[in-house]
Amino acid sequence: MTISYAPLYGALTMAFGFGRKAVQIAARIVTLWINRRAAYRLAELDDRALKDIGLTRSDVLGALDLPFAQDPTLPLVHRRRARRQPPPPAMTVRLAARDGRAVEGKAREA
């Protein structure tokens, strides 16, 4: 007579699979909750501090209006990156030496 453990193995595999999925869901909920708290802390900042970060009050309040299942910090990151201005290009100045030769250099900004 042969005893098979396949039903027990299948049940354990399914239980561990459900357990893993439950842990993933719990971790996602905790992450959303932490990021939503961070967005609420951004809403507490004054307009000048938000401007230093590259956001406006309407950006933060709009992100907080999203449903709980959506991460409010992702739209804030995208809005900040969209507003980021590239650095000004370096200015090239043509300098001439006393003997008339052209010398290239970059102008220094004060």
Side-chain angles (χ1 to χ4, degrees):
M1 179 166 131
T2 306
I3 299 174
S4 173
Y5 294 102
L8 179 62
Y9 177 74
L12 285 175
T13 303
M14 192 164 57
F16 285 131
F18 286 137
R20 186 178 319 132
K21 190 63 173 175
V23 168
Q24 289 173 348
I25 291 171
R28 175 74 175 150
I29 290 171
V30 168
T31 302
L32 288 171
W33 183 66
I34 289 171
N35 290 346
R36 191 159 288 272
R37 280 185 53 202
Y40 276 116
R41 287 194 177 168
L42 282 175
E44 293 174 356
L45 296 176
D46 61 344
D47 290 333
R48 194 177 108 229
L50 287 174
K51 185 178 178 184
D52 287 344
I53 297 171
L55 297 172
T56 63
R57 182 151 315 276
S58 63
D59 292 340
V60 177
L61 295 178
L64 288 173
D65 285 341
L66 293 173
F68 183 79
Q70 290 182 343
D71 189 353
T73 57
L74 292 177
L76 294 176
V77 170
H78 293 304
R79 288 179 185 153
R80 184 186 178 281
R81 285 183 182 161
R83 286 197 188 106
R84 188 184 316 171
Q85 297 178 3
M91 296 180 356
T92 303
V93 179
R94 292 190 64 88
L95 302 173
R98 290 185 182 219
D99 60 358
R101 292 180 299 143
V103 179
E104 289 237 358
K106 292 186 178 182
R108 286 192 242 166
E109 295 185 25

